[in-house]
Structure formats: C-alpha cells, structure tokens
C-alpha cells in the first residue's frame, strides 16, 4: 500500500490544492471495517500505534477502503455483494457522501483512485452476465457515475494502481456469484481466475493466468510495490488434500513467480490468504490466513520462506512507511510486526474485519 | 487401592461408552453413510446404462424410471464431493449444475447438429465438455422439448447411450477408489499423510454437511426464488424432469443422517438437529410445488421462501453448535472470509 502522505509531502501537492489536504487533517494512518460488541458494523480510523481515532456506522458489514491521493477522504466499501460505498471525510471522521451502484451491479468490496484523484475505480459484478466490471466514478464531480468497463474476467475482487501511472491491476477471482444465491460459487466447474492489467480507458494491457492445475486458486488480494512489483494472495477452491502456493508476484511483461512455504507451514494456511502486504521497505511479502490462524513472511525478491507466526483469526495486515506492519484480528487484537519481532499493540472490543488499509 | 481403581472405572465407563472417539465417528460415517450411498449409485447408474442400451428414446418409460432412480442415488451422495469424486473432475462430470451460461443445452445441440462421432464410446465421450456429460445433460436429452427432438433419432440414441455409459463408468471409478484406498485413509486418519489427524477427517465430513446445506438453501432454493420483483422459476434445478423439490428433500434426508452421525456422543444436540431437519423435511413434504413454479406469485413464493428459511435454520444450528463441538474455527474472519 502506498504511503500517500509521504508521497504528498514529496510532491508538495498540498500547495497545489486550495482545499484541505491530508497534511491538514488529524487523519488516521489506517482504516478498517469492524463489528462492534453490539453486532453493529462500523468503519474505524486507526493511528499508526493502533489507537481507534473514530468510528462511523455502516449500513451493513464493510470490507476494504481506498484513500484519495490528495484530499483527506477515503471510500469504504460494503462487503460483497453489497450496494453501498461511503465517502468519509478523514479530517472530521464523518460520512460525506454515499455511492450506490446501478441496479444491475453490486460492489465486490474494493476500489482505487486514479493517480490525480479525479476518478474512482470500483470492482463490480454484472448481475445479468456475471461478468466482472470496473465501475467509473467522477471523484472531481461529487462522485457522479460515469459508466463501467470490463474487468477482464469473472468475480473481480481487489484492484490497485501501478505507482506513478493510471494502469490498473485487477484480481479477477474467477468465481461467479449472484446475490440471489448468496455467496455460493456458481461456476466452480469452469472457473479460471486471472490477474489483469487495464489502461484507465479500459484497454487490456496484459492478462496473467496460472497453470490450469491451479485454476481453482482464486486470485483475490493485491499489494503493489513502488517499483511496480505486484503481489497477489490467493484462495484455494480445489481439493483440501492439496496445499498449493497461495502467493504470486508479478511484474508487467514478465512471468509470474509462485511463493510457497515448507509443507507443514503451507498446510496450516488451510488454502486461504486473507490479506497481503509488502513490508520492510518492500523486501518482504507477508500474508495472513484467518482460517489457519497464521501469518507467513517471505523474501519478496527470492521468494524464500522466512517465518510464520500463529495469530488467532488474524486477517488485516498493512504496512507503514517506516516498514512496520500492523495486523488486526477478528478477536480484537492489534499487533505490530517489525524486523521479525511481533508486539501486541492493543486488545480492543472490535472484531476487525478482513482488511486494514494504510492511507 | 483396587477398590478405588474399580470405582474410578465405574464412573468413567458410561462416559467413554457414549463419547465415541473421533476415529470411530469417522469410520461409522464412511461405512454406514458414504460407502452404501456410492454402492447404490453404482447399481443405479449401471442399471440406467443397461436400460439405455435397449431403450434409448426420450419417451421410454423404462428409461425414464431408470433415470429417476439413478438421479435419486446421486442426490443422496452428491454432498460427498471430496476425495475420489474430485479426482479428474468426476464430480462435475456427473453433476454440471448450476449452469449460469446455458452451456449444457448449447453443447448438446452442437454435438447433435454436427452428429459428432465422439459418441461412439463412453471413453471418447469422457473427453467432451463437462457441460455435456452427466445427469443434467441426460435430463436435457430426455426432457427438454428442443434438445430431445433435435436432429436424428439414431444420433440422439447414441448420445443417450454414451452419456449413460459415461455416468456409470464415472460412478464406478469413484466407488472403486473409495473401497480401494480412500475409505482406509479416512478410517486411519492420523496415521497417514492425507489425513494427518482424526479431526482433519472429521472436519472434511463437517465441510460436506455445511456445503451440502448451503447448496440446497442458496442454489436449489435461492436460484428459482430470485427476487420478489424478478422470480426465476426457469432456474429451478432439474425442472424439466420435475425433480426440483425432490432434490431438496433427498439432500436433506442425507444431510440429516450425516449431521446425526457427526453429533454422536451428544444426545441433546442430536435431538435438536433431528428436530430442525424434521421441520425442514416436513415443510418440503407439504409444499405441493415440484418445480417451484409458484415463485411467480406472492403466495407460492412465500411457501418456497419458508422452506428456504427452514433449511437456513438447520444451517444456523449446525454452525453454532455442531461446528464448535468438532473444533471448527468459527471466528469473524475465519468462518466468513472473502
């Protein structure tokens, strides 16, 4: 996840904008959706030490969020197949605006802004064809819906932008679902996930598919390093007897690399990566598996497995510009991880949802 | 000393007698739930292929009866998707549904239009798209007004024979792997690499129960229900042969048996599960709407929704009570990730 505030300082972007910038805001370092003790759903802003700075009620369970590159605002998405996204003023911690997709679309839970912040891209489902779409919203004009374009696959989930460009990278998970049949997969017999690179105008630049033996590996979550290296976390929908690699790294124009832990650690992941992040200045890739109650760390360059740590129901993970990562769990824990050392930063009453988003 | 020891035994005995070990529960499920169902599937699909050898026309009563018997046998075991059923995609080869892109009808129509000679043997037919294989494809050939009358009778006859022979061969392969190796791996969970502990095997069986319930609630019932404004009766499973509701009942019967066995050692939970399943099965028995055509009108829709709700209540009990008993992680993220 890009550290937008540090980027901004570098660009002097605050000076270009007459309105409030991230630098003016007492803004959080992270956002995360969460469930409160009373069962209600919220979006929370967290400090870099893991303190909860604000919470905003959500109509239903949330999922991920995306930060605007200039204005101190973020968009928080409904969990799929949700139909809301909240624009949050991070200076005040208030809901500023709400997005609703067209009637024949729903959100998948992730989105990303264009480099200049004028456009918001959201992963969506076409409810008639079950093809993946990327929704386009005019972030310079009150988030008016502009239209949409093909995602290059089925079940697009996470979406990121290659740093310094408006090239989009999309994790097309490959799994077709329809809200009328809940979250149950409709196309396991034919599923074929991919990692797709799209120009901002929808031009398909590159599509990466893994070997057919891995076609049950749903490519779902992404992180991008400043030099354009993409890391993707996968979720295995094939035989529980198999423990295939759950991480790929890829750079445009090159071949994808698979990262795999030794057999016993790999098995403990239960075929599931919940979140993925580059950490330690991009030298490492870390993933969480709430199903396995495990975090794994790999060398981003060599792909070598470095370590694993048991963390109950851990899922959210994201990295500060310092290189330190924060990890959240469904049982309220917040941990810091830096240079191989894990520190418990807090034990809250919030059930932290799948993703922790650095802003 | 001896007296104290025997007193302890007396106290412990009743406990160990009811709290069967995980390995025993798994072995009983393999021997009394899974193997008999796969054996029945082999019998019924072989009978179907034999009938098709002599009677291959769509309207033939003997062929239709054999089709229904084989489909019944499949639905009764279709929740056991792991192990031999997932080898070489056998599960999908028997059971290609839901078919969101209408591939089955199109694939069959193409084969018929081309009079594709691939139907000459079951072995060759096993290489065609899974959309044109299995029981759902056979249903199209026997009951779909267009596909069942397309092209030449002789070609469709050969197609029915190829599909039924392929179904029988696939069922036989699954059963042979179960009896040959896989049943022993499950019984010996903890002493082999496939199942490294007894609870790994038990969790796979629990997964079959929850996935089976999800399939029935979300797909068998959820697909035709659609939304209030846009009900989707045409999406009901196996509606052409009038089997939609029957599949709900058959699957619930099998899942009730599996749930009961998984709850072994906890009489209270067994009773609670049996009660919930009975309520759902009763709702299915009283629903006089075999293909959920009633979803199109508000009254009829309400009754199908009520049945779905009863299945949902079974799911809730299974995940809140049975899952934790079997040590399945039920965390906010682990249970319900994305």
């Amino acid at each position: 996840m890009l550290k937008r505030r540090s980027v901004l300082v570098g660009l002097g972007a605050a000076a270009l904008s007459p309105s409030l910038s991230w630098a003016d805001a007492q803004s959080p370092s992270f956002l995360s959706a969460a469930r409160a003790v009373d069962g209600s759903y919220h979006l929370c802003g967290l400090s870099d030490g893991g303190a909860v700075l604000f919470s905003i009620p959500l109509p239903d369970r949330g999922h991920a969020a995306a930060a605007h590159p200039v204005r101190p605002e973020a968009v928080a998405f409904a969990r799929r197949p949700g139909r809301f996204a909240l624009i949050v003023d991070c200076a005040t911690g208030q809901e500023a605006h709400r997005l609703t997709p067209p009637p024949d679309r729903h959100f998948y839970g992730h989105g990303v802004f264009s480099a200049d912040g004028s456009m918001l891209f959201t992963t969506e489902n076409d409810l008639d064809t079950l093809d993946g779409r990327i929704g386009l919203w005019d972030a310079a004009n009150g988030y008016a819906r502009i239209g949409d374009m093909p995602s290059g696959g089925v079940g697009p989930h996470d979406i990121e932008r290659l740093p310094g460009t408006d090239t989009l990278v999309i994790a097309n998970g490959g799994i077709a679902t329809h809200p009328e049949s809940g979250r149950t997969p409709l196309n396991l017999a034919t599923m074929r996930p991919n990692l797709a690179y799209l120009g901002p105008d929808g031009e398909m630049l590159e599509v990466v598919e893994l070997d057919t033996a891995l076609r049950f590996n749903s490519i779902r979550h992404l992180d991008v390093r400043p030099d354009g290296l993409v890391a993707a976390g996968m979720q295995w929908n094939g035989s529980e007897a198999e423990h295939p690699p759950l991480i790929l790294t890829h750079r445009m124009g090159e071949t994808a690399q698979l990262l795999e832990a030794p057999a016993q650690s790999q098995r403990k992941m239960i075929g599931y990566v919940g979140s993925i992040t580059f950490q330690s200045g991009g030298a490492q890739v870390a993933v969480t598996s709430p199903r396995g109650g495990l975090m794994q760390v790999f060398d981003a360059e060599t792909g070598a497995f470095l370590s694993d740590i048991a963390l109950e129901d851990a899922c959210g993970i994201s990295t500060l510009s310092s290189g330190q990562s924060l990890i959240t769990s469904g049982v309220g824990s917040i941990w810091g991880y830096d240079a191989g050392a894990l520190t418990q930063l807090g034990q809250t009453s919030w059930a932290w949802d799948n993703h922790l988003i650095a802003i | 000393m001896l007296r104290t020891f025997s007193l302890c035994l007396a106290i412990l005995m009743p406990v160990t007698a009811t709290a069967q070990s995980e390995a025993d529960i798994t072995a009983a499920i393999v021997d009394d739930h899974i193997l008999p169902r796969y054996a029945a599937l082999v019998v019924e699909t072989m009978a179907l292929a034999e009938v098709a050898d002599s009677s291959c026309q769509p309207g033939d009563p003997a062929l239709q009866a054999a089709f229904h018997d084989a489909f019944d046998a499949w639905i009764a075991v279709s929740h056991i998707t792991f192990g031999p059923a997932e080898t070489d995609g056998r599960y999908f080869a028997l059971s290609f549904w839901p078919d969101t892109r209408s591939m089955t009808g199109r694939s069959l129509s193409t084969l018929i239009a081309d009079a594709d000679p691939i139907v000459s043997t079951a072995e060759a037919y096993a290489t065609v798209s899974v959309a044109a294989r299995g029981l759902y494809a056979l249903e199209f050939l026997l009951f779909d007004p267009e596909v069942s009358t397309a092209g030449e009778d002789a070609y469709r006859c050969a197609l029915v024979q190829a599909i039924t022979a392929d179904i029988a061969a696939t069922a036989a392969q699954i059963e042979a792997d179960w009896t040959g190796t896989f049943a022993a791996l499950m019984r010996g969970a903890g002493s082999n690499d496939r199942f490294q502990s007894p609870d790994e095997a038990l969790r796979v069986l629990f997964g079959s129960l929850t996935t089976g319930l999800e399939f029935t609630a979300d797909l068998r019932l959820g697909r035709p229900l659609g939304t209030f404004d846009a009900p989707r009766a045409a999406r009901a499973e196996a509606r052409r042969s009038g089997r939609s509701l029957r599949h709900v009942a058959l699957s619930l019967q099998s899942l009730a048996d599996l749930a009961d066995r998984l709850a072994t050692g906890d009489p209270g939970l067994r009773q609670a599960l049996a009660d919930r399943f009975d309520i759902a099965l009763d709702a299915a028995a009283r629903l006089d709407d075999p293909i959920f055509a009633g979803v199109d009108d508000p009254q009829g829709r309400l009754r199908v929704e009520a049945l779905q709700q009863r299945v949902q209540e079974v799911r809730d009990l299974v995940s809140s009570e049975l899952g934790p008993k079997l040590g399945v992680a039920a965390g906010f993220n682990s249970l319900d990730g994305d």
Side-chain angles (χ1 to χ4, degrees):
Chain A
M1 188 62 57
L2 270 180
K3 301 305 137 338
R4 284 165 176 92
R5 280 185 298 181
S6 47
V7 170
L8 279 171
V9 171
L11 295 176
L16 299 174
S17 168
S19 53
L20 278 177
S21 77
W22 284 101
D24 300 314
Q26 272 295 76
S27 60
S29 295
F30 299 98
L31 295 174
S32 177
R35 188 179 64 192
V37 176
D38 66 2
S40 60
Y41 295 104
H42 297 255
L43 176 78
C44 295
L46 285 80
S47 73
D48 54 10
V52 179
L53 302 178
F54 63 77
S55 72
I56 302 170
L58 295 176
D60 206 338
R61 188 167 172 183
H63 191 64
H68 193 279
V70 181
R71 300 195 297 263
E73 65 188 31
V75 52
F77 295 98
R79 168 184 170 83
R80 78 180 164 93
R83 295 185 43 78
F84 67 85
L86 264 57
I87 307 297
V88 175
D89 181 334
C90 287
T92 63
Q94 301 289 313
E95 173 180 346
H97 199 62
R98 194 174 289 205
L99 312 186
T100 306
D104 54 349
R105 301 281 185 272
H106 72 69
F107 290 129
Y108 271 114
H110 292 262
V112 70
F113 284 93
S114 61
D116 66 0
S118 65
M119 189 93 95
L120 172 68
F121 302 95
T122 55
T123 49
E124 298 178 6
N125 192 10
D126 181 329
L127 293 177
D128 294 323
T129 64
L130 304 187
D131 287 324
R133 308 292 296 185
I134 303 301
L136 310 173
W137 307 81
D138 188 350
N141 247 316
Y143 290 93
R145 175 80 172 189
I146 296 170
D148 65 6
M149 57 194 193
S151 75
V154 168
H157 198 68
D158 204 349
I159 179 170
E160 290 285 348
R161 189 171 48 74
L162 295 189
T165 76
D166 274 327
T167 297
L168 302 171
V169 53
I170 297 153
N172 284 301
I175 298 176
T177 53
H178 193 292
E180 291 166 12
S181 38
R183 296 161 61 83
T184 306
L186 298 172
N187 67 332
L188 285 183
T190 55
M191 71 176 278
R192 195 77 168 102
N194 70 50
L195 186 70
Y197 293 85
L198 244 63
D201 52 355
E203 184 194 356
M204 182 60 66
L205 304 174
E206 188 172 346
V207 179
V208 181
E209 282 186 350
L210 296 180
D211 188 88
T212 50
L214 292 172
R215 73 173 188 86
F216 289 119
N217 228 352
S218 181
I219 303 172
R220 294 180 89 78
H221 293 110
L222 303 171
D223 197 13
V224 182
R225 215 167 60 172
D227 68 347
L229 185 68
V230 175
M234 299 184 276
Q235 297 174 359
W236 179 243
N237 290 267
S239 170
E240 98 297 334
E242 295 175 53
H243 309 284
L246 299 169
I247 305 166
L248 70 83
T249 57
H250 181 257
R251 193 187 300 276
M252 274 190 86
E254 297 181 5
T255 312
Q257 304 296 318
L258 294 169
L259 278 56
E260 190 173 16
Q264 278 308 317
S265 181
Q266 191 67 27
R267 193 180 182 106
K268 280 191 245 165
M269 296 292 282
I270 325 244
Y272 189 94
V273 162
S275 293
I276 186 163
T277 188
F278 282 106
Q279 63 184 20
S280 294
Q284 297 177 348
V285 174
V287 291
T288 53
S289 171
R291 296 200 178 157
L294 201 70
M295 175 174 85
Q296 287 180 336
V297 183
F298 295 80
D299 184 305
E301 295 306 324
T302 65
F305 171 76
L306 298 176
S307 60
D308 62 15
I309 300 178
L311 297 173
E312 185 188 356
D313 208 34
C315 196
I317 185 165
S318 199
T319 308
L320 290 163
S321 49
S322 66
Q324 188 196 34
S325 296
L326 246 66
I327 304 137
T328 55
S329 85
V331 289
S333 320
I334 303 175
W335 297 282
Y337 181 85
D338 198 9
L342 187 82
T343 322
Q344 175 131 19
L345 297 178
Q347 179 58 47
T348 69
S349 62
W350 296 94
W352 299 109
D353 216 312
N354 295 179
H355 302 301
L356 182 67
I357 307 294
I359 56 179
Chain B
M1 188 68 190
L2 194 62
R3 183 175 296 177
T4 318
F5 179 70
S6 50
L7 187 65
C8 287
L9 264 187
I11 293 164
L12 287 174
M13 283 294 279
V15 178
T16 49
T18 51
Q20 264 184 289
S21 74
E22 290 175 333
D24 291 342
I25 296 174
T26 297
I29 290 172
V30 168
D31 293 335
D32 303 332
H33 180 85
I34 298 175
L35 294 182
R37 282 175 172 76
Y38 270 122
L41 180 68
V42 170
V43 168
E44 298 299 345
T45 55
M46 277 180 62
L48 171 62
E50 277 169 28
V51 171
D53 256 350
S54 52
S55 321
C56 59
Q57 289 310 317
D60 188 281
L63 181 60
Q64 291 198 358
F67 161 82
H68 284 296
D69 289 346
F71 220 154
D72 283 359
W74 169 245
I75 297 306
V77 73
S78 61
H79 58 293
I80 305 296
T81 59
F82 61 89
E86 64 195 355
T87 306
D88 300 332
R90 289 166 185 161
Y91 174 87
F92 298 124
L94 285 177
S95 196
F96 187 81
W97 191 85
D99 178 12
T100 56
R101 298 192 189 247
S102 308
M103 288 167 66
T104 295
R106 276 191 286 128
S107 306
L108 291 171
S109 297
T110 304
L111 287 171
I112 294 168
D114 298 348
D116 193 320
I118 201 151
V119 298
S120 55
T121 65
E123 293 74 31
Y125 200 75
T127 65
V128 306
S129 155
V130 286
R133 295 173 68 190
L135 289 152
Y136 295 86
L138 181 60
E139 192 215 18
F140 258 80
L141 278 168
L142 300 188
F143 296 95
D144 184 76
E146 272 178 42
V147 174
S148 67
T149 55
E152 300 291 324
D153 281 1
Y155 183 79
R156 267 186 287 99
C157 177
L159 192 48
V160 166
Q161 289 167 345
I163 291 181
T164 53
D166 175 49
I167 290 169
T170 305
Q173 287 162 6
I174 297 175
E175 204 237 358
D177 283 0
W178 266 102
T179 53
T181 53
F182 204 78
L185 289 177
M186 288 208 90
R187 288 192 207 101
S191 56
N192 61 68
D193 195 52
R194 177 65 169 80
F195 298 103
Q196 292 186 353
S197 68
D199 41 287
E200 260 189 34
L202 217 47
R203 276 178 222 174
V204 171
L205 293 167
F206 179 74
S208 291
L209 174 61
T210 55
T211 310
L213 286 167
E214 178 183 271
F215 195 95
T216 289
D218 287 350
L219 301 186
R220 293 194 165 112
L221 293 163
R223 295 277 295 164
L225 274 169
T227 62
F228 185 85
D229 293 328
R232 309 276 190 177
R235 286 183 182 167
E237 182 195 20
R239 66 180 168 83
R240 292 169 181 79
S241 54
R243 298 183 51 86
S244 313
L245 176 61
R246 184 169 181 77
H247 285 194
V248 171
L250 288 171
S251 72
L252 287 175
Q253 282 163 14
S254 266
L255 295 168
D257 183 72
L258 178 57
D260 181 61
R261 294 172 187 279
L262 284 168
T264 297
D266 187 339
L269 181 54
R270 286 181 64 188
Q271 189 60 52
L273 286 164
D275 290 347
R276 292 268 174 106
F277 270 109
D278 282 348
I279 291 168
L281 280 162
D282 190 49
R286 285 187 291 105
L287 182 63
D288 182 23
D289 186 0
I291 57 169
F292 306 132
V295 297
D296 285 337
D297 74 79
Q299 281 302 99
R301 176 185 179 77
L302 211 59
R303 300 176 64 208
V304 180
E305 274 181 344
L307 173 56
Q308 187 187 40
Q309 187 52 39
R310 299 293 88 77
V311 180
Q312 193 59 50
E313 285 157 12
V314 175
R315 276 174 90 178
D316 292 345
L317 182 64
V318 162
S319 65
S320 67
E321 301 291 331
L322 185 56
K325 175 183 141 67
L326 300 174
V328 175
F332 185 49
N333 294 307
S334 60
L335 180 71
D336 208 4
D338 200 354

